Amino acid sequence: MVREVRRQFDVLVVGGGPAGMAAAARAAECGVRVGIVDDNANLGGQIWRSDSGDGSPREAANWVERLRVAETTMLCGIRIFHQPEAGVLLAEGPDDLHALSYEKLVLATGARERFLPFPGWTLPNVMGAGGLQAMVKSGLPIRGKRVVVAGTGPLLLAVAAYLRRHGAEVPIICEQASWSSLGRFLFALPGQPGKIRQGLQMKGELAGVPFVANSWPLAAHGRDKVESVTISRRGKTRTIACDYLASGFHLVPNLELPLLLGCKVDDGCVLVDDFQRTTVSSVFCAGEPTGIGGVELALVEGQIAGWAVAGRTAEASGLFAERQKLRRFARRLDAAFRLRSELRNLPSDETIVCRCEDIPYSRLRRHSSWRAAKLHTRCGMGPCQGRVCGPATQFLLQWNPESVRPPIFPVRVESLGAIAGHSEPERSEVTGGP
Ligand SMILES: Cc1cc2nc3c(=O)[nH]c(=O)nc-3n(C[C@H](O)[C@H](O)[C@H](O)COP(=O)(O)OP(=O)(O)OC[C@H]3O[C@@H](n4cnc5c(N)ncnc54)[C@H](O)[C@@H]3O)c2cc1C
């Protein structure tokens, strides 16, 4: 029998990354009763994920201390999967079910890596760049391993530097963006001293590692696991031996919970007003669901949302100018790392696109929409619920995968029972579910 825990908060924050921690701390410091939920074992989100060797970074520890002093309830290791009625969210823990009631909600659910399918991408040891970094942080030995890093976005550099610090050999970093895009992006950096500092540090850490623009992975090869990768480099191909291929194509916002709650989404991001309010009353959103912008923007948006939910609009407005500057930077980031159209040719007919349901590209291409493909092939209906193949088909086939249904994560049968006990808020045009 699963234990059911009920809790009530003035403000509930979903997501314990920089945005969520900043929102929860600011709100709690105003004296309201705040709960913060994250599905990882510790707060910190993707960037401050604690390292089994090094412990949590200092910034994360500082925010956690502020949350503790402000008597915030920190609920880690539980995952929100459904809203059975307005003002209540259901979350599943390792052996319990939580019904969390709130007056106001801040969604700070972050982003995930975008993967593009190419021949061999399902081989063992072909991983997302951030995914490999997370595994090394959890103890995967990487010393002496040869890791090709390929795809797009600043995360590639952060991951390569991290892996090298931990003893990996990085023979090459392949960036699909062109030098002219990267040049325009670098030109915008002078207004961002934090980014310049970070960039210079990584430049030092990556000294001697070739960074190649106009370059991307074409195929991974190997028998039982990846042994080499063929890359395209300025129109020529080259095959490089490796133990791992770390490949990611920038980030996409985690929109499942905002969509389930009915928040309006525009161009792949949650729409918010000046105070980070979504189109749903009492629901705010901060950090990467509103656009991919990096840790500084996540912290500023989180603080604005935290003050706004506590009614401190004057304090919140004090950060508008800073947010404006960081959003300009985010727009440049988006433009610089936009995917080039050649990448649409990456998958062959046989390449598996939906890994959960083993659907090859040739079967998907016969359909005209995400909905039709789901109905006819079960694409996007496996355990990841379209989190991987959704953004891939959005780019490859220009489909719109923004349809969700509870539960937004696979859950135990007992938890499904909790959904059945409530009326379901249908938000999608299509049937899904695991
Ligand atoms: C895999 C990955 C690795 C990254 N590594 C780096 C790096 O090394 N350096 C760098 O500068 N930037 C990195 N980034 C980018 C960085 O995460 C962002 O710039 C910034 O931290 C975003 O903060 P956030 O609070 O908006 O989101 P996040 O930090 O992503 O935090 C969101 C949190 O919400 C949790 N969550 C989401 N949905 C639910 C739910 N339903 N129930 C419970 N919890 C939920 C997530 O697990 C996550 O912990 C990485 C991003 C990713 C995706």
Side-chain angles (χ1 to χ4, degrees), residues 15 17-19 38-40 46-47 80 108-110 133 155 287-288 294-295 409:
D38 195 277
D39 51 0
N40 292 291
Q46 301 291 0
I47 184 169
I80 305 289
T109 49
Q133 182 189 43
L155 182 58
E288 307 236 280
V295 60
F409 288 103

Side-chain angles (χ1 to χ4, degrees), residues 14-21 37-40 42 44-49 78-81 91 108-113 129-131 133-134 137 155 158-159 162 195 198 251 254 257 286-289 292-296 298-299 387 408-409:
V14 183
M21 286 201 285
V37 179
D38 195 277
D39 51 0
N40 292 291
N42 299 297
Q46 301 291 0
I47 184 169
W48 295 332
R49 184 187 290 280
I78 72 168
R79 182 179 267 175
I80 305 289
F81 65 91
T109 49
R112 58 180 177 266
E113 283 183 276
Q133 182 189 43
K137 286 186 177 182
L155 182 58
V159 170
Y162 178 86
K195 305 281 177 207
Q198 210 183 354
L251 306 175
N254 287 326
L257 191 53
E288 307 236 280
I292 305 301
V295 60
E296 287 92 349
L299 283 170
R387 283 176 172 77
I408 57 167
F409 288 103

